[in-house]
């Protein structure tokens, strides 16, 4: 009979629904195992004296893009899709996919199974499960990872409602962002986001946030909240997008120039200054997370013209803070430009 004194196995997995939304259904283990030595008539034995305990002192953790974060998990013994992050057995470990080379177990004390993730990325947000296996015992705990960021509505330069789900996903990526989750849109609504155009979310639903109920946005009789069209056909139905962007290590700035620039001149001006023209996600993150405030309209990489306001004042748009948009003017029109400069170490890559 093989020995049951095996090295402790630690498995961290990322929990993902088929629709693309991170979620968790309660993990249940009744501890039923095949009894290979003394059959009891039904081919299994029941373990009711559970010695293994896995827990986390925090149910959720938040971090900023590009930083490091630790998902705590401690063991007392020292129908979602699951994507393996790391498997560790004794002193050996292996990481997978986009997590390869970015994750490790902290092991700062006996029983510490905490997962350390370096260089946080937009797609890292979601729920993670730490599963610890000790012989025939198996226990797990889940931890939510949130990134500090900003949700913004985004539409095509052709006008409203031109994105199917996949085009919306690509449009957000092109602007240094990702499709927002329902949770992220809900948080943005709680912070005051009010937008009366429906947009795709990461789980394939189409929704929009309303803080002031009105006739043209679902009706005056409906309470404020998220209006939902539910799941829509990902190829055939066309809407806008709600994107989520987090802070970056770089710097967004308005390029001071004596004259206004058309779009092509604006792109070249940022390059001459050792930067690149900023993307919409760059500008929103700088506005929301770094307090960037500038009352000058400037070109962005998608051909739109915008400017960020944190301190409202005369001649700078509505009385609420936000990123003001001029839409997509003709490319020969002349404005300022917002540039994005990466850290020197990233420029060298």
């Amino acid at each position: 009979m093989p020995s049951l004194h095996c090295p402790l196995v630690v498995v961290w997995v990322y929990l993902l629904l088929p629709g693309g939304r991170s979620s968790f259904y309660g993990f249940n283990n009744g501890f039923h195992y095949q009894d290979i030595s003394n059959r009891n008539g039904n081919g299994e034995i029941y373990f009711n004296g559970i010695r293994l305990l896995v827990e986390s002192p925090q149910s959720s953790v938040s971090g900023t893009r590009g930083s490091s974060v630790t998902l705590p998990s401690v063991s007392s013994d020292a129908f979602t899709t699951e994507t393996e992050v790391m498997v560790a057995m004794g002193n050996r470990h292996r990481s997978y996919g986009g997590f390869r080379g970015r994750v490790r177990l902290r092991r700062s004390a006996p029983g510490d199974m905490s997962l350390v993730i370096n260089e946080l990325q937009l797609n890292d947000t979601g729920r993670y499960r730490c599963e610890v296996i000790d012989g025939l015992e198996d226990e797990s705990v889940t931890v939510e990872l949130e990134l500090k960021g900003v949700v913004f509505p985004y539409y095509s330069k052709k006008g409203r409602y031109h994105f199917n789900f996949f085009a919306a996903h690509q449009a957000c990526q092109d602007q240094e962002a990702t499709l927002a989750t329902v949770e992220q849109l809900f948080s943005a609504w709680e912070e005051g986001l009010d937008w009366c155009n429906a947009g795709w979310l990461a789980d394939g639903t189409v929704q929009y946030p309303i803080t002031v109920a009105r006739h043209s946005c679902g009706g005056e009789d409906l309470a404020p909240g998220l209006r939902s069209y539910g799941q829509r056909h990902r190829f055939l139905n066309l809407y806008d997008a709600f994107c989520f962007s987090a802070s970056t290590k770089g710097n967004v700035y308005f390029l001071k120039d004596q004259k206004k620039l058309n779009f092509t001149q604006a792109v070249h001006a940022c390059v001459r200054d050792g930067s690149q023209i900023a993307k919409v996600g760059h500008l929103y993150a700088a506005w929301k997370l770094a307090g960037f405030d500038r009352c000058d309209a400037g070109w962005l990489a998608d051909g739109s013209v915008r400017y960020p306001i944190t301190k409202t004042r005369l001649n700078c748009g509505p009385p609420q803070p936000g990123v003001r948009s001029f839409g997509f003017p003709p490319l020969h029109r002349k404005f300022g430009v917002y540039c994005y400069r990466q850290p020197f170490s990233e420029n060298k890559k």
Side-chain angles (χ1 to χ4, degrees):
M1 177 179 177
S3 171
L4 296 181
H5 297 288
C6 302
L8 205 66
V9 178
V10 182
V11 181
W12 276 93
V13 296
Y14 180 74
L15 304 171
L16 191 68
L17 282 175
R21 172 170 170 255
S22 170
S23 184
F24 173 69
Y25 296 127
F27 179 76
N28 178 40
N29 192 329
F31 294 93
H32 289 274
Y33 298 97
Q34 183 181 10
D35 180 359
I36 61 174
S37 56
N38 296 300
R39 294 194 175 277
N40 59 5
N42 59 9
E44 60 184 26
I45 55 177
Y46 181 75
F47 287 86
N48 56 8
I50 301 174
R51 177 172 54 86
L52 182 65
L53 174 65
V54 180
E55 58 186 357
S56 174
Q58 298 170 257
S59 61
S60 65
V61 175
S62 64
T64 57
R65 188 177 180 186
S67 67
S68 296
V69 70
T70 300
L71 308 185
S73 173
V74 180
S75 167
S76 65
D77 188 321
F79 297 54
T80 55
T81 299
E82 299 181 349
T83 301
E84 286 188 333
V85 175
M86 164 177 278
V87 176
M89 178 182 294
N91 293 324
R92 296 177 296 171
H93 70 271
R94 181 177 180 180
S95 54
Y96 297 88
F99 295 97
R100 187 169 297 164
R102 294 195 296 123
V103 294
R104 62 179 175 84
L105 293 185
R106 185 172 61 182
R107 286 178 167 163
S108 61
D112 185 3
M113 308 299 174
S114 302
L115 181 72
V116 178
I117 306 177
N118 296 316
E119 294 293 328
L120 280 179
Q121 300 176 4
L122 283 173
N123 292 329
D124 290 343
T125 183
R127 289 185 176 96
Y128 293 76
R129 190 180 81 215
C130 173
E131 182 176 359
V132 179
I133 304 167
D134 184 14
L136 295 180
E137 296 188 52
D138 184 341
E139 267 288 273
S140 68
V141 68
T142 61
V143 182
E144 182 87 22
L145 173 60
E146 302 173 347
L147 261 66
K148 298 175 183 177
V150 57
V151 172
F152 61 92
Y154 190 77
Y155 60 89
S156 167
K157 60 182 63 180
K158 298 178 182 178
R160 304 290 185 180
Y161 296 175
H162 279 274
F163 296 140
N164 66 20
F165 174 81
F166 303 100
H169 175 78
Q170 186 61 52
C172 290
Q173 281 198 329
D174 290 344
Q175 296 310 312
E176 199 65 24
T178 187
L179 274 177
T181 65
V182 175
E183 293 86 355
Q184 289 165 346
L185 184 63
F186 182 80
S187 295
W189 168 76
E190 287 183 314
E191 295 175 0
L193 180 61
D194 184 280
W195 194 257
C196 194
N197 292 91
W200 290 103
L201 296 177
D203 63 349
T205 63
V206 173
Q207 307 193 34
Y208 61 99
I210 295 297
T211 58
V212 180
R214 47 203 187 272
H215 175 72
S216 59
C217 301
E220 298 177 359
D221 296 333
L222 290 178
L226 298 188
R227 311 279 195 252
S228 177
Y229 293 176
Q231 292 280 341
R232 309 302 289 174
H233 196 290
R234 298 190 180 200
F235 281 104
L236 300 181
N237 293 138
L238 304 178
Y239 297 95
D240 293 340
F242 285 103
C243 303
F244 174 82
S245 182
S247 60
T248 64
K249 292 183 179 180
N251 179 47
V252 177
Y253 62 97
F254 183 79
L255 183 62
K256 296 180 180 179
D257 199 289
Q258 294 182 350
K259 60 180 181 179
K260 302 294 185 180
L261 308 167
N262 63 35
F263 178 73
T264 301
Q265 292 169 336
V267 172
H268 292 321
C270 288
V271 173
R272 286 196 303 270
D273 201 51
S275 306
Q276 66 187 61
I277 188 169
K279 298 181 178 182
V280 177
H282 289 145
L283 188 65
Y284 267 95
W287 162 72
K288 182 70 174 182
L289 304 174
F292 189 32
D293 182 278
R294 185 85 192 193
C295 192
D296 293 282
W299 289 107
L300 294 176
D302 64 340
S304 66
V305 173
R306 308 173 195 249
Y307 63 98
I309 295 295
T310 57
K311 299 177 181 178
T312 59
R313 50 207 185 270
L314 289 177
N315 302 319
C316 293
Q320 299 83 21
V323 174
R324 319 290 194 223
S325 175
F326 284 70
F328 297 88
L331 299 182
H332 67 268
R333 292 276 304 277
K334 294 192 174 183
F335 299 93
V337 60
Y338 288 95
C339 303
Y340 170 72
R341 178 173 290 132
Q342 294 179 335
F344 179 71
S345 60
E346 291 187 16
N347 280 327
K348 292 177 65 178
K349 292 180 180 179

